[in-house]
Amino acid sequence: MPAVTLSDVCERLVGRRSLKDLSVGCHEGRIDLRGLDVADVLRERRFGSAIPLGPRGGPRIVGPWVQVDGDTVSMGGLDLSNIDLSGGRLDCLRFFGCTISNCVFDRASCYDWRMWATSVSRSTFRDASLREASMGGLLDGRQNQFRSVQFTRTDLRQSVHGSAVFVDCVF
């Protein structure tokens, strides 16, 4: 398990600072955050501004921002690239207009994820759990995009993918 918490990661991402200065090293060319547990986040902690609301009261795609509310971590406008989160407990994450690229979520618990207007590319979810995830949410008319993502042996039971675009993905 890494010596850093999700709070450490969020502070850097919201400040658009590199994760490379975390005391964790690399694993196969990615920032090594294997085993990260979102339960380590302090309750009711906010990073950046509060969730920006649109004219209908829903979140807008501006950022970067992260907000923690109970067991749910919501984030908007973040660029998550080149990170290994294998084996992590990453339940109840909410993504609004985020970019996830070249990340590894193998054997991670990604239970109850929600995504809107988010792009995921060149990433893997091998043997991971995306149970009860909503991967097809629309926000401001934008769909989620999944490109070159491996979902080999991923638990997708009770997940929803309605309006998402999947290109060159492996299931």
Side-chain angles (χ1 to χ4, degrees):
M1 179 135 140
V4 299
T5 67
L6 185 60
S7 296
D8 299 323
V9 174
C10 291
E11 286 175 0
R12 283 174 176 76
L13 291 173
V14 168
R16 296 181 192 223
R17 297 187 342 245
S18 173
L19 297 178
K20 292 181 180 177
D21 64 340
L22 292 172
S23 59
V24 293
C26 287
H27 181 256
E28 297 181 358
R30 295 177 190 88
I31 304 296
D32 187 0
L33 296 178
R34 293 176 293 169
L36 189 73
D37 188 342
V38 296
D40 292 337
V41 177
L42 299 173
R43 301 296 180 230
E44 299 300 327
R45 179 141 185 208
R46 290 185 182 182
F47 302 87
S49 60
I51 296 175
L53 300 178
R56 295 186 189 146
R60 286 188 304 145
I61 305 171
V62 295
W65 56 266
V66 174
Q67 183 171 338
V68 178
D69 184 12
D71 292 333
T72 302
V73 178
S74 299
M75 55 193 78
L78 293 184
D79 180 7
L80 305 168
S81 298
N82 307 312
I83 304 171
D84 189 339
L85 290 154
S86 296
R89 288 204 55 223
L90 310 170
D91 300 334
C92 301
L93 296 182
R94 308 294 185 250
F95 300 91
F96 298 89
C98 293
T99 301
I100 300 170
S101 176
N102 193 33
C103 290
V104 177
F105 299 94
D106 298 350
R107 298 171 314 285
S109 178
C110 306
Y111 170 79
D112 193 36
W113 273 22
R114 302 283 185 259
M115 298 176 152
W116 296 269
T118 291
S119 171
V120 182
S121 64
R122 299 180 345 266
S123 297
T124 63
F125 290 86
R126 292 179 293 241
D127 295 304
S129 174
L130 278 164
R131 282 189 85 152
E132 298 185 33
S134 177
M135 301 161 59
L138 287 172
L139 183 61
D140 296 338
R142 290 180 45 201
Q143 298 173 296
N144 292 321
Q145 307 271 329
F146 296 87
R147 298 187 183 280
S148 301
V149 178
Q150 290 187 25
F151 295 101
T152 309
R153 294 180 308 278
T154 301
D155 184 350
L156 293 165
R157 287 180 283 178
Q158 299 173 318
S159 62
V160 180
H161 323 93
S163 64
V165 175
F166 293 87
V167 178
D168 294 328
C169 295
V170 176
F171 291 89

